Amino acid sequence: MSTLLGAALLAMASMSQIAYLAAHRRRPDPTRAAAPSVRSFRFVYPLVMLALFGTACDLLATGGEVTRTLPMPPAIAALGLAGMALGSALFVWARRSLGLHYSPCFASLRPHEVVRHGAYRWLRHPMYVGNLTAIAGAAVASGSLVLGVAWVLVAVAYWRAARDEDGLLRVVAARVVAGAR
């Protein structure tokens, strides 16, 4: 189980890095300024990546002897793996729904349009929900307190970002309504 979990964590962290690198291949739009909550992600993101990669390496190398702080019965670990898979799938769906509007969390750009299709038809912040679900699943599956702390840090950063984005989207929506008159 440790090898499977370690490989899953490694895949999840790698997927996050690939999404980031793919977004940075595009030239930035000089007309779109950074959102105000970006600073907290610059602090949190490297810590979360370190926690994910570190826990994955520990699971693959030692079976989790270093990072496992809570014993997890196999059924609970399986639920955690399912949470990782569900959260990762939601993240990918939300990323695809955003298309060219996507920007990584610590390079977040001010929104200039409200996305209302795909995952955004059902959830206000599906990418945040997907990441939080995946990290929670990883923490439960591995029994790692390190990943539990990482989840709390990400949750606080996402809460701030969601609050900031909602305020910016209200401005965008008001402009659209004013332009339609």
Side-chain angles (χ1 to χ4, degrees):
M1 183 65 143
S2 294
T3 303
L4 174 65
L5 181 56
L9 276 172
L10 204 54
M12 187 173 87
S14 299
M15 179 187 72
S16 178
Q17 283 299 109
I18 290 168
Y20 165 75
L21 293 172
H24 277 281
R25 280 195 329 222
R26 295 190 329 263
R27 298 183 96 194
D29 182 349
T31 63
R32 293 180 65 199
S37 58
V38 167
R39 279 176 274 138
S40 62
F41 281 108
R42 287 197 177 127
F43 170 74
V44 168
Y45 186 78
L47 294 176
V48 171
M49 286 294 105
L50 183 63
L52 286 172
F53 280 117
T55 303
C57 290
D58 174 46
L59 286 164
L60 292 170
T62 70
E65 291 178 18
V66 176
T67 58
R68 185 176 307 276
T69 53
L70 302 170
M72 284 298 147
I76 300 296
L79 284 174
L81 279 171
M84 285 174 59
L86 179 66
S88 296
L90 181 57
F91 174 88
V92 169
W93 184 29
R95 165 68 178 87
R96 291 181 59 105
S97 298
L98 281 176
L100 294 176
H101 298 292
Y102 171 73
S103 64
C105 55
F106 50 83
S108 186
L109 301 175
R110 293 179 187 269
H112 64 275
E113 177 180 333
V114 178
V115 176
R116 292 193 170 113
H117 60 275
Y120 289 85
R121 180 177 179 191
W122 306 103
L123 291 169
R124 180 69 166 225
H125 299 284
M127 195 168 278
Y128 297 165
V129 171
N131 265 341
L132 287 171
T133 303
I135 295 169
V140 167
S142 66
S144 171
L145 186 58
V146 171
L147 290 179
V149 170
W151 184 91
V152 170
L153 291 172
V154 172
V156 169
Y158 279 160
W159 171 78
R160 289 186 62 211
R163 182 193 62 200
D164 293 346
E165 288 171 12
D166 287 345
L168 294 169
L169 284 172
R170 280 192 286 279
V171 171
V172 169
R175 282 190 204 142
V176 169
V177 170
R181 291 184 194 170

